[in-house]
Amino acid sequence: IKLNSYTLRTNDYGYHPKSWLMKGSNDRVKWDTIDEKINKTELFGAYKQFHFDCKNESQYYHFIRFIQNDSWTSNKPYNIYLTCIEFFGSIMITSNKH
């Protein structure tokens, strides 16, 4: 997938995402940063939803990773509680026909 954008939706448990990374890899060893958000307020609250555009969308990846670096709950910044994550982009289709 070539990730162009994504949607995140919070829940009512707290731990709403504040800062995170979207990473892409083709071998699960080397991970490239597709997007980084720092101190974002759009998801601060129960059942908030927001659509984010990626800053680096130039490559196709087999694997996509979401890494939360901080949340709006200071005592447990790395707990991840999302009700939805949606990825948007294009898919490369390869043919194995000879």
Side-chain angles (χ1 to χ4, degrees):
I1 183 172
K2 181 193 248 185
L3 186 63
N4 298 327
S5 62
Y6 55 95
T7 297
L8 300 176
R9 186 180 319 138
T10 64
N11 61 33
D12 63 345
Y13 295 117
Y15 313 112
H16 309 302
K18 181 178 181 182
S19 300
W20 63 88
L21 297 165
M22 291 300 243
K23 298 268 194 173
S25 177
N26 288 314
D27 60 7
R28 290 191 252 181
V29 175
K30 180 183 179 286
W31 291 89
D32 300 327
T33 299
I34 302 170
D35 194 41
E36 180 177 19
K37 301 294 189 228
I38 299 172
N39 296 327
K40 300 303 285 183
T41 59
E42 290 90 337
L43 298 173
F44 182 48
Y47 301 112
K48 298 287 184 178
Q49 179 174 303
F50 198 81
H51 187 87
F52 298 96
D53 291 322
C54 294
K55 295 186 182 203
N56 303 316
E57 54 176 277
S58 62
Q59 187 171 339
Y60 286 88
Y61 295 101
H62 286 276
F63 308 98
I64 303 294
R65 177 183 278 179
F66 171 82
I67 301 170
Q68 183 169 299
N69 293 323
D70 199 4
S71 77
W72 289 101
T73 303
S74 60
N75 62 340
K76 295 184 180 180
Y78 304 111
N79 286 6
I80 298 171
Y81 287 92
L82 296 172
T83 58
C84 179
I85 184 167
E86 295 177 291
F87 298 117
F88 300 90
S90 56
I91 296 174
M92 181 189 306
I93 299 173
T94 59
S95 175
N96 291 334
K97 296 179 182 178
H98 296 281

